[in-house]
Amino acid sequence: MADQSTHAASTAEADKGYWAANVRIILISLVIWALVSFGFGILLRPMLSGIAVGGTDLGFWFAQQGSILVFLALIFFYAFRMNKLDAEFGVEEE
């Protein structure tokens, strides 16, 4: 009986570590996405207007294309990192 409670406690601790790492990855991704889409595309647009990218200013580029490309990169980063995290905690898909 004591062995089962020890195993349950270690499993609960592993679950907490897994979800803490998962939430940390999500929060970092959301901060990057918000900074790029809202920060660079809206708030910092006047400062970025002097830098030309593809015939337009950098602020406009971030508002129209940059935030979408960063979002796609974040999707791939999240999938890669979660696969690595799943393998680390032994909950990967087969």
Side-chain angles (χ1 to χ4, degrees), residues 39-71:
F40 291 164
I42 297 172
L43 297 177
L44 299 177
R45 187 169 186 272
M47 291 187 344
L48 299 173
S49 65
I51 303 169
V53 172
T56 186
D57 64 272
L58 186 60
F60 181 77
W61 183 85
F62 267 114
Q64 297 301 312
Q65 294 177 346
S67 61
I68 296 169
L69 294 175
V70 169
F71 180 67

Side-chain angles (χ1 to χ4, degrees), residues 17-32:
Y18 175 80
W19 284 107
N22 187 1
V23 168
R24 185 174 39 250
I25 293 169
I26 291 170
L27 288 176
I28 289 169
S29 298
L30 285 174
V31 167
I32 291 170

